[in-house]
Amino acid sequence: FVLDCAADDEPSDFRVFINPEILEKDGQIVWNEGCLSFPGVTEEIKRAEHVKVRAFDRDGKPFQLEATGLLAVAIQHETDHLNCVLMIDKLSALKKRMMGNKLAKARGEAQAE
């Protein structure tokens, strides 16, 4: 996967993670996540606050990285995708139904434009 967690007013922080493996997780953070799989919808998801990941870069060179904050959340989110896990899989049944309603509303608003 590829990531760029730089804010709009910051220089690009483009990163490539090939065959990533999360080696360590600690702490806990709740992050209001969005996902391209669920356009227009965000949900609060519990994640580790700090991760250590091992992967290969775009040149095939191995690297390790420790991350916190948005970068740690994004690494976990994208690694979940590689393991066939979506953010909706981390929600309770009630939250899943509520998310379905939000998706339907977002689709309706998009079609009205």
Side-chain angles (χ1 to χ4, degrees):
F1 60 83
V2 296
L3 293 176
D4 190 340
C5 292
D8 290 339
D9 60 344
E10 296 176 347
S12 174
D13 187 27
F14 184 80
R15 299 170 187 252
V16 175
F17 296 77
I18 299 171
N19 294 336
E21 178 184 0
I22 295 178
L23 304 172
E24 295 176 16
K25 293 182 183 184
D26 60 68
Q28 185 174 311
I29 190 168
V30 176
W31 203 274
N32 195 30
E33 288 186 37
C35 181
L36 295 175
S37 299
F38 306 102
V41 176
T42 59
E43 285 294 333
E44 290 186 342
I45 306 292
K46 290 180 187 175
R47 299 277 186 189
E49 184 176 22
H50 171 265
V51 297
K52 181 188 248 184
V53 63
R54 175 175 50 211
F56 295 91
D57 66 16
R58 70 175 94 188
D59 298 316
K61 294 180 182 155
F63 70 93
Q64 283 191 21
L65 173 73
E66 293 193 40
T68 58
L70 176 58
L71 182 57
V73 169
I75 288 168
Q76 292 170 85
H77 180 106
E78 297 304 331
T79 300
D80 277 352
H81 277 299
L82 295 175
N83 294 316
C84 301
V85 176
L86 298 175
M87 65 183 236
I88 196 168
D89 297 325
K90 297 186 174 292
L91 300 176
S92 68
L94 174 61
K95 287 266 194 173
K96 286 179 186 178
R97 283 194 298 276
M98 291 170 55
M99 188 170 173
N101 293 338
K102 288 180 185 179
L103 275 170
K105 183 178 177 183
R107 282 190 202 115
E109 290 172 358
Q111 289 175 352
E113 293 178 355

